[in-house]
């Protein structure tokens, strides 16, 4: 067993979570959520997405969000990142003082077309100058690969396809590649097998797990990849979210549930679980949706 001593949580609720809410969420609510997440000790909060407002209307206030965060007093303690699928997105992000961005590709051709309107090869060609330009501006770039354990349109995805895209993202300059089980169909042995293949191309220290919880397997999958040495986990407070281009996909694994698992294993995160549970309860009530974190529900019921 090679469980890590520390895990870095990348909190994606304000982006991956909220992007899928059908009712517009007020910018002030998003900012309050981000402030609370940061106050709970999360060092990395993905806060916005510089994508087309026609494609994802919920992320249309990306400029305002990132400009407020640029001037936030907590900016030194927390990295606030944003998605940038192309040069237009990156240029806007740079104008707003964003210090870290992410490009997002896919291991499935069909998902790539539906999500970013181009093939996998075209997406990588598009990302290369985005990453180059960002790095020249002193901005770090994370890479995502979607559909690493299955695709809503193609079904099974070969681990070799995931490894190939991950390798390219690293080669163009991404400091870390986050492996997305976009529709939450993975199971632990499958996740392990995929990771074994990907880690032949990208060192495990540069990989992150980004698991959605549609089939209730995300925590088990995380345990399996932690055992392989994964030390970066993407999660979403209260299990918010889904993906607008993956019908039926539910939210990311809930951050509170991940923290509870890690605390039980003696793995440090630097995040205050009680504070995060209060934030999960608050945002669920504010959005009028059930709290998607079992741990959050249990903690709130016992206080
Ligand atoms: P396109 O239509 O091919 O782009 O979309 P285009 O270059 O032809 O431009 C079309 C229009 O979009 C133009 O406006 C552009 O200005 C505008 P018009 O002249 O028609 O008024 N446009 C933009 N506007 C704002 N920001 C931009 C931008 N780029 C072009 N950056 C594009 C291509 C990538 C823009 C589009 O497909 C898009 O926005 N897709 C977003 C998809 C998305 O956000 N999906 C969810 C995030 S990914 C995810 O959730 C998975 C992840 O969590 C990991 C996992 O779970 O697997 C990361
Ligand atoms: Mg996602």
């Amino acid at each position: 067993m090679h469980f890590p001593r520390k895990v870095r949580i990348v909190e994606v609720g304000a982006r991956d979570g909220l992007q899928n809410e059908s009712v517009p969420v007020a910018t002030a609510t998003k900012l309050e959520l981000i402030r609370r997440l940061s106050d709970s000790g999360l060092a990395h909060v993905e806060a916005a997405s510089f994508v087309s407002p026609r494609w994802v209307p919920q992320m249309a206030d990306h400029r305002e969000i990132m400009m407020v965060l640029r001037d936030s007093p907590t900016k030194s303690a927390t990295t606030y990142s944003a998605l940038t699928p192309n040069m237009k997105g990156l240029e806007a992000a740079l104008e707003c003082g964003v210090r870290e961005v992410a490009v997002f590709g896919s291991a499935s051709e069909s998902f790539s077309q539906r999500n970013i309107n181009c093939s996998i090869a075209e997406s990588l060609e598009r990302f290369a100058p985005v990453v180059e330009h960002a790095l020249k501006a002193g901005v770090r770039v994370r890479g995502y690969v979607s559909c690493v354990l299955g695709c809503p349109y193609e079904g099974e995805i070969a681990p070799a396809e995931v490894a190939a895209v991950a390798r390219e993202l690293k080669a163009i300059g991404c400091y870390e590649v986050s492996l997305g089980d976009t529709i939450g169909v993975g199971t632990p042995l499958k996740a392990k097998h995929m990771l074994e293949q990907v880690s032949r191309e990208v060192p495990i220290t540069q990989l992150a797990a980004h698991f959605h919880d549609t089939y209730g397997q995300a925590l088990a999958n995380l345990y399996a990849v932690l055992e392989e040495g994964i030390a970066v986990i993407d999660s979403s407070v209260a299990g918010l979210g889904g993906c607008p281009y993956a019908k039926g996909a539910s939210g990311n694994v809930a951050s509170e549930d991940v923290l509870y698992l890690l605390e039980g294993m003696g793995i440090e995160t630097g995040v205050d679980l009680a504070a995060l549970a209060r934030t999960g309860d608050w945002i669920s009530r504010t959005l009028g949706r059930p709290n998607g974190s079992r741990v959050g529900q249990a903690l709130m019921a016992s206080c």
Side-chain angles (χ1 to χ4, degrees), residues 8-269:
R8 178 160 58 87
I9 304 283
V10 177
E11 169 59 51
V12 297
R15 192 282 302 173
D16 206 347
L18 296 186
Q19 75 182 7
N20 210 38
E21 288 294 317
S22 49
V23 178
V25 180
T27 305
T29 303
K30 294 179 185 174
L31 285 165
E32 175 66 13
L33 172 63
I34 294 164
R35 184 191 65 74
R36 288 177 185 237
L37 292 170
S38 166
D39 286 353
S40 71
L42 285 154
H44 189 159
V45 174
E46 194 172 73
S49 199
F50 286 80
V51 295
S52 162
R54 284 200 205 170
W55 284 66
V56 188
Q58 191 66 258
M59 293 286 113
D61 53 359
H62 44 240
R63 277 181 184 268
E64 190 178 349
I65 299 266
M66 296 316 294
M67 283 195 285
V68 170
L69 295 176
R70 177 188 62 194
D71 303 328
S72 148
T74 56
K75 67 173 183 237
S76 55
T78 306
T79 297
Y80 298 114
S81 60
L83 300 193
T84 55
N86 53 18
M87 202 54 102
K88 186 178 170 84
L90 177 70
E91 278 163 5
L94 293 179
E95 281 165 25
C96 302
V98 175
R99 307 303 309 150
E100 178 168 332
V101 297
V103 292
F104 48 104
S106 171
S108 151
E109 280 297 347
S110 312
F111 187 79
S112 181
Q113 287 291 350
R114 289 205 171 62
N115 194 41
I116 50 174
N117 205 23
C118 63
S119 69
I120 297 172
E122 283 164 344
S123 75
L124 293 166
E125 273 169 36
R126 189 180 287 177
F127 297 154
V130 172
V131 178
E132 191 186 348
H133 197 71
L135 294 178
K136 275 194 189 137
V139 167
R140 298 210 307 169
V141 188
R142 197 171 197 240
Y144 279 103
V145 186
S146 284
C147 299
V148 303
L149 294 170
C151 167
Y153 311 106
E154 294 183 13
E156 291 287 322
I157 295 293
E161 303 294 329
V162 183
V165 179
R167 183 187 58 228
E168 289 308 308
L169 289 173
K170 179 178 184 295
I172 62 174
C174 294
Y175 76 93
E176 182 170 283
V177 178
S178 177
L179 301 169
D181 182 10
T182 317
I183 52 168
V185 287
T187 47
L189 296 183
K190 204 171 162 189
K192 244 184 196 200
H193 179 58
M194 179 275 297
L195 187 63
E196 274 162 17
Q197 299 227 18
V198 176
S199 60
R200 287 186 200 141
E201 302 291 346
V202 180
I204 202 113
T205 49
Q206 289 181 268
L207 292 171
H210 177 110
F211 295 163
H212 287 253
D213 199 28
T214 319
Y215 286 78
Q217 303 293 300
L219 278 184
N221 294 343
L222 282 177
Y223 187 88
V225 298
L226 281 164
E227 199 170 15
E228 297 296 306
I230 279 283
V232 184
I233 295 175
D234 300 359
S235 60
S236 173
V237 68
L240 294 176
C243 177
Y245 299 101
K247 202 165 179 284
S250 75
N252 297 81
V253 63
S255 304
E256 301 90 315
D257 297 6
V258 174
L259 279 186
Y260 188 80
L261 172 75
L262 296 176
E263 283 187 8
M265 296 171 74
I267 298 174
E268 288 169 37
T269 62

